[in-house]
Amino acid sequence: MSDEKKLSDDLNDMLGDAKDGAKKAAGKAEEIAGEAKEKAKEFASEAKEAASEFTDDAKAVLSNEKNIAIIAHITLIGWIIALVMNNSNKSEFGSFYIRQMLGLMIVSLILNFVPVVGWILNLVMLILWIMSLVGALGGEKKLTPVLGEHFQNWFKSL
């Protein structure tokens, strides 16, 4: 019987050790889970912060009056996009170049219907467009020679 008792005691010791091991493993698992939760919270916080910064940067780009002025120079579609962007957040600089580009586009369109002389004058319009774009890139309000003041007066509602 002593062998049975010894075997029983050994089994009880082993069960006790197994229970202790299971408790330690459960404690360690809880500790790891807690650390994982903290890291997940940190990651979520950093992701929110990065998203917020991205949103702020996107808003700054879309509302930046210099960008509106530059976009206005990119074909008729760019001009329309600049007009819409400028309507949500009016800026004098953006409006200035929207008016200048509308005038240049209208004059250029009219010159397309005049043979030979109109085509040559359209080359002059290209030079005026480049000068206007350089002014927008430099952040300066540069009137288009000859007609710039008229464009500002004719299209002052924009």
Side-chain angles (χ1 to χ4, degrees):
M1 198 145 282
S2 73
D3 285 338
E4 286 179 19
K5 186 169 180 155
K6 192 174 183 183
L7 186 59
S8 174
D9 288 342
D10 287 343
L11 284 174
N12 284 335
D13 287 344
M14 291 171 77
L15 280 174
D17 291 344
K19 285 180 183 177
D20 290 341
K23 285 180 184 178
K24 285 180 184 177
K28 188 69 171 174
E30 286 178 15
E31 182 182 321
I32 291 171
E35 289 174 6
K37 273 186 177 180
E38 287 301 314
K39 288 189 181 200
K41 284 180 184 178
E42 287 177 27
F43 177 76
S45 175
E46 290 173 7
K48 284 180 185 177
E49 187 177 318
S52 176
E53 287 176 18
F54 177 78
T55 302
D56 292 343
D57 289 346
K59 285 179 184 177
V61 166
L62 292 177
S63 67
N64 188 345
E65 54 194 38
K66 186 175 174 183
N67 289 337
I68 292 171
I70 294 168
I71 291 170
H73 285 80
I74 305 171
T75 71
L76 179 61
I77 293 170
W79 182 84
I80 292 169
I81 291 169
L83 183 65
V84 170
M85 288 171 62
N86 195 50
N87 280 339
S88 65
N89 190 10
K90 285 270 187 196
S91 70
E92 181 56 35
F93 189 74
S95 295
F96 176 85
Y97 277 104
I98 287 172
R99 291 189 290 265
Q100 291 293 297
M101 286 312 304
L102 179 60
L104 285 174
M105 287 188 287
I106 289 172
V107 170
S108 183
L109 180 68
I110 292 169
L111 289 175
N112 280 329
F113 294 106
V114 180
V116 184
V117 174
W119 299 332
I120 293 169
L121 289 176
N122 259 330
L123 290 174
V124 172
M125 296 305 292
L126 176 64
I127 292 169
L128 294 176
W129 175 83
I130 291 170
M131 289 171 59
S132 178
L133 179 61
V134 168
L137 289 169
E140 304 172 24
K141 289 184 186 178
K142 287 190 175 181
L143 285 171
T144 303
V146 182
L147 296 171
E149 286 187 41
H150 295 292
F151 295 158
Q152 293 300 313
N153 290 329
W154 294 338
F155 309 120
K156 60 184 162 194
S157 64
L158 297 177

